Amino acid sequence: MEPNLSQDYLTVGQAAKKMGVTVRTLQYYDKAGLLPPSAVSEGGRRLYTHKDLVQLHQILALKHLGFSLDDIKNRLIPLDEPGAVAAVLAEQAAALREQIDRLTQTLGRLETLRNEALSMQTVDFQKYADILINLEMKNDYYWLIKYFDGRTLDHIRSRFDRDSGMAFMQAFSRLQEEAVRLHAQGVPPDSPQGQAFAQRYWGMITAFTGGDMEILGKLMAFGRNAGADSRWAKQQAQASAFIGPALDVYFSRLGENPLQEDEP
């Protein structure tokens, strides 16, 4: 027998209009197993009861709170006690806070990249990508990338992956900080401690260049060009006050100075 539409059931169009959704939305919820109709007419029309509308209201409320349809499907049945509702909402609030943190970090990286892009003389999407990667790695020296030329950046990309690149930058930062500390403590650059530092620092440089003297030359030129940046200049001035003299002694004892440019 055909259900009594006038008293017991609403057609899909009537239910959609009553709840302020589209017919397509109700059809989708049916297909997803979220809200199957309570009955189907002999003509194949979906039929809904007022109890169905209560469940639809719950679905819409959870969706508005940010739950995915899969979450909603799994949570519709057990949400029948205040404690259960509170626990679900607390879980969703934590998930939203994590999402906000991720979006805030992404926004910060994009704003930083915007500033770096404006300071660069040309459009270079490879550099943009490298800067973003280093921002994600929380590399404080991300901004130095804009000063590297293509040859040097290709060298870095070929020698370092994400993990080894980050490990190198951490080692570089530690040595810079150590140089500042040794200088502040008055450690003589020619002392055993100073020369042990010089050996480790030069080892870091050769690890970076891979013995490529052209890269070494570009690295020296880079240091001069990047000096125009106040951030780099301040950091380097403090560290170089110890690094320079320590390397001078180190190379004099070796009998060669690879940092010294050839005379004409």
Side-chain angles (χ1 to χ4, degrees):
M1 180 178 178
E2 182 81 8
N4 187 338
L5 299 183
S6 61
Q7 296 181 9
D8 302 316
Y9 294 96
L10 298 168
T11 66
V12 65
Q14 291 170 330
K17 183 177 180 180
K18 192 174 184 67
M19 295 301 295
V21 298
T22 65
V23 170
R24 180 171 294 184
T25 296
L26 290 181
Q27 292 171 340
Y28 180 74
Y29 287 171
D30 178 14
K31 185 177 181 180
L34 274 172
L35 186 66
S38 291
V40 178
S41 70
E42 292 182 358
R45 290 189 297 175
R46 294 175 173 84
L47 301 175
Y48 295 88
T49 65
H50 285 86
K51 182 179 179 180
D52 293 331
L53 299 189
V54 172
Q55 189 170 18
L56 175 59
H57 188 276
Q58 185 183 7
I59 293 171
L60 296 175
L62 291 172
K63 188 171 183 294
H64 180 71
L65 289 172
F67 287 95
S68 69
L69 293 183
D70 285 339
D71 284 336
I72 294 172
K73 184 177 180 180
N74 294 330
R75 299 182 193 280
L76 280 174
I77 295 176
L79 297 184
D80 52 5
E81 295 180 359
V85 173
V88 168
L89 291 177
E91 181 181 332
Q92 184 61 13
L96 287 175
R97 279 193 291 270
E98 290 181 4
Q99 185 177 6
I100 289 171
D101 289 342
R102 288 194 298 270
L103 290 174
T104 300
Q105 292 175 11
T106 299
L107 177 61
R109 288 193 289 266
L110 290 176
E111 289 177 340
T112 299
L113 178 59
R114 172 186 175 276
N115 294 333
E116 295 300 330
L118 287 173
S119 69
M120 293 167 61
Q121 300 299 314
T122 59
V123 174
D124 190 325
F125 286 101
Q126 276 193 307
K127 283 189 178 182
Y128 297 162
D130 287 336
I131 290 173
L132 274 178
I133 290 172
N134 279 270
L135 285 170
E136 292 173 358
M137 293 164 58
K138 295 181 173 56
N139 177 7
D140 292 337
Y141 296 96
Y142 67 86
W143 54 273
L144 291 175
I145 291 170
K146 66 187 175 189
Y147 292 109
F148 286 124
D149 64 7
R151 167 82 167 82
T152 306
L153 283 174
D154 286 342
H155 171 82
I156 294 172
R157 296 179 189 119
S158 67
R159 287 189 63 82
F160 299 99
D161 57 20
R162 187 185 185 98
D163 293 336
S164 61
M166 194 63 208
F168 178 87
M169 290 308 303
Q170 290 171 347
F172 172 78
S173 295
R174 287 194 296 269
L175 284 176
Q176 293 285 98
E177 293 169 359
E178 183 178 353
V180 173
R181 185 174 65 255
L182 292 174
H183 180 68
Q185 293 173 350
V187 175
D190 60 352
S191 66
Q193 188 178 3
Q195 288 305 288
F197 170 87
Q199 183 177 20
R200 284 185 285 118
Y201 192 87
W202 182 240
M204 179 194 67
I205 297 297
T206 54
F208 179 85
T209 63
D212 189 328
M213 298 307 294
E214 181 182 356
I215 292 297
L216 178 59
K218 289 181 178 293
L219 192 62
M220 293 172 64
F222 158 79
R224 291 191 293 270
N225 294 334
D229 191 296
S230 60
R231 292 170 294 184
W232 175 259
K234 182 177 180 180
Q235 294 171 2
Q236 283 299 100
Q238 294 174 343
S240 295
F242 186 84
I243 295 172
L247 285 178
D248 286 342
V249 174
Y250 180 73
F251 291 137
S252 68
R253 292 178 178 177
L254 286 179
E256 60 179 15
N257 189 347
L259 296 180
Q260 189 173 22
E261 298 181 359
D262 294 335
E263 296 181 0

